[in-house]
Amino acid sequence: MKRYTLLLTYKATYFIQLFLTILLSMPLVVVVLALLRFLFKLDEWVAIGIYTLVVFAILKYTKSWIHRKAEISLDSHEMTIQMEKYLFFSEKMVTFRWEELAEYKYQNDQYFELFKLKFKNGKTLTLTRETGEKDDFAHFLKKFKKLIAAHTNYFPEREPIRAQKTFYETRAGLVAAFVLAFILLAIPITSCFTQRWPAIGNMLILYSGSFAFIYRVYSARN
């Protein structure tokens, strides 16, 4: 039975970590930056850049604090997920046979990857992790899909295990991509007429996030 290790991250704990890092580091960093600006006459954008680097460094150093380790074992008959104790969650183990599984969903977003299982009895199990996390997830997903295909081919008389569409594959995702593309084109055009341009920081956030979303919609359909 093949075994894989996953580092799971709950979105709630991720954003709590982000909020606390920014909140708690701000007073100290502001004092240090004020001192540096006084001594070395740093530009405001340089100071903001240093603060951003400090926040990212703290987030990277404390990342392991918000991980929940999961061990997954699977073969041609069944799959077992064992999650360690984490914060207020006790240790959990789930074992099921392939014929109990109705469908699954894998969605790769800009910051998180979602893996969701739906069983024939109506129950669901959702695993989330940070996009690009260094664990065995990519190898696990490849093996999982291979075993699903093998099970479906070996038991053609049974209802196949379906792969749910991601949001990027749905009509709503396509409409959202077109709306974002229209907004991205409209902003510079209207700004040329009004001679009023949005802040550079806001533009960078809007355009980078929008292009990432549009690219995912395009990739899901090609």
Side-chain angles (χ1 to χ4, degrees), residues 17-108:
Q17 179 210 24
L18 179 62
F19 173 75
L20 290 177
T21 299
I22 294 174
L23 182 66
L24 298 178
S25 64
M26 189 175 295
L28 176 61
V29 174
V30 167
V31 172
V32 174
L33 289 180
L35 183 61
L36 290 175
R37 289 187 67 188
F38 175 76
L39 295 175
F40 303 103
K41 307 299 182 183
L42 291 180
D43 182 78
E44 180 182 355
W45 284 102
V46 176
I48 294 174
I50 293 174
Y51 174 67
T52 303
L53 289 175
V54 171
V55 170
F56 274 106
I58 295 173
L59 287 174
K60 184 176 180 63
Y61 178 76
T62 59
K63 180 186 287 189
S64 61
W65 300 358
I66 62 171
H67 284 156
R68 186 181 190 185
K69 189 176 179 181
E71 298 286 344
I72 299 182
S73 305
L74 65 169
D75 58 21
S76 58
H77 302 290
E78 63 182 20
M79 174 170 159
T80 298
I81 304 173
Q82 185 169 359
M83 292 178 277
E84 67 179 8
K85 186 177 180 180
Y86 174 74
L87 295 178
F88 304 108
F89 300 96
S90 59
E91 186 175 340
K92 182 178 181 180
M93 186 172 73
V94 178
T95 300
F96 61 90
R97 298 183 65 82
W98 295 119
E99 55 265 28
E100 299 176 62
L101 186 62
E103 55 189 26
Y104 72 94
K105 179 180 181 179
Y106 168 66
Q107 181 166 305
N108 184 0

Side-chain angles (χ1 to χ4, degrees), residues 9 11 14-15 105-116 126-133 137 141 165-170 173 208-209 211-217 219-220:
T9 302
K11 291 183 180 181
Y14 173 86
F15 287 112
K105 179 180 181 179
Y106 168 66
Q107 181 166 305
N108 184 0
D109 294 321
Q110 188 172 1
Y111 299 108
F112 290 96
E113 290 179 273
L114 177 144
F115 182 73
K116 182 178 181 180
T126 302
L127 306 178
T128 55
R129 61 189 289 277
E130 288 186 66
T131 299
E133 190 64 75
F137 183 79
L141 186 63
K165 285 186 177 181
T166 66
F167 179 74
Y168 306 110
E169 297 173 292
T170 63
S208 61
F211 278 129
F213 181 87
I214 293 170
Y215 174 75
R216 279 180 166 79
V217 172
S219 300

